[in-house]
Amino acid sequence: MNKPGTGAKQFRSEDRRLRAASGKSGFTLLEVIIAVAIIGSSLAILLGAVNKNLLLASQSKNITIASFLAQRKMGEVEVEGFPEIGNQEGVFEEHPEFKWYLSVQPYNIEQLGTEIRIVILTVSWDEGNREFTVATAISDHG
């Protein structure tokens, strides 16, 4: 038989063991808040990096398209022969967001005995905020 009062004593010791065990196996609210803050900060940094990479990829794509279009347009100018002095502009049909501006200027060097034209081609996009420019010299010497 149990002595009087021993049941209460046994209950208190069990209660202490349960509290000690539960205190070691869980997280406090402060630990959870700190973990959530760390995860949130990490996600914000990662999303910023992904956004930056997407922006750089888009810019790279547009520069590649602009250089291809400029090369093709400059080839057309060279095939047409000796260009007339003046300015022209237009839009590329297959890429209407890209515009071209062509400037042909005279450049005389008397010692050469031939006329030279400087051809400057600028391809712009992003409503004129971005540009890609190439230039060449074409002479009338056969």
Side-chain angles (χ1 to χ4, degrees):
M1 241 192 197
N2 289 342
K3 294 182 184 175
T6 57
K9 192 174 185 182
Q10 185 180 8
F11 178 73
R12 277 187 251 147
S13 66
E14 260 183 54
D15 190 35
R16 280 190 210 131
R17 275 187 274 139
L18 285 174
R19 273 194 242 154
S22 69
K24 291 179 183 175
S25 65
F27 294 105
T28 65
L29 180 60
L30 181 61
E31 290 171 331
V32 171
I33 290 172
I34 290 172
V36 168
I38 291 170
I39 291 170
S41 300
S42 300
L43 285 176
I45 291 170
L46 287 174
L47 287 175
V50 167
N51 188 34
K52 178 83 172 172
N53 284 340
L54 289 174
L55 179 65
L56 290 175
S58 175
Q59 289 175 352
S60 176
K61 179 190 84 164
N62 287 335
I63 289 171
T64 302
I65 291 171
S67 66
F68 169 75
L69 294 171
Q71 184 179 20
R72 197 182 75 205
K73 183 67 179 171
M74 194 62 84
E76 291 173 8
V77 170
E78 290 173 352
V79 167
E80 289 175 4
F82 196 60
E84 294 294 320
I85 296 171
N87 297 318
Q88 299 175 16
E89 63 181 66
V91 176
F92 294 98
E93 290 178 18
E94 65 278 3
H95 293 282
E97 67 275 14
F98 289 85
K99 297 178 181 176
W100 57 269
Y101 305 93
L102 184 70
S103 174
V104 180
Q105 303 165 0
Y107 189 77
N108 292 324
I109 301 176
E110 293 180 19
Q111 295 85 357
L112 290 178
T114 186
E115 193 174 349
I116 297 174
R117 303 273 165 90
I118 302 297
V119 180
I120 301 170
L121 175 66
T122 301
V123 176
S124 68
W125 67 97
D126 195 15
E127 297 177 5
N129 293 327
R130 304 275 187 215
E131 292 183 344
F132 182 84
T133 303
V134 292
T136 191
I138 300 175
S139 73
D140 67 348
H141 189 67

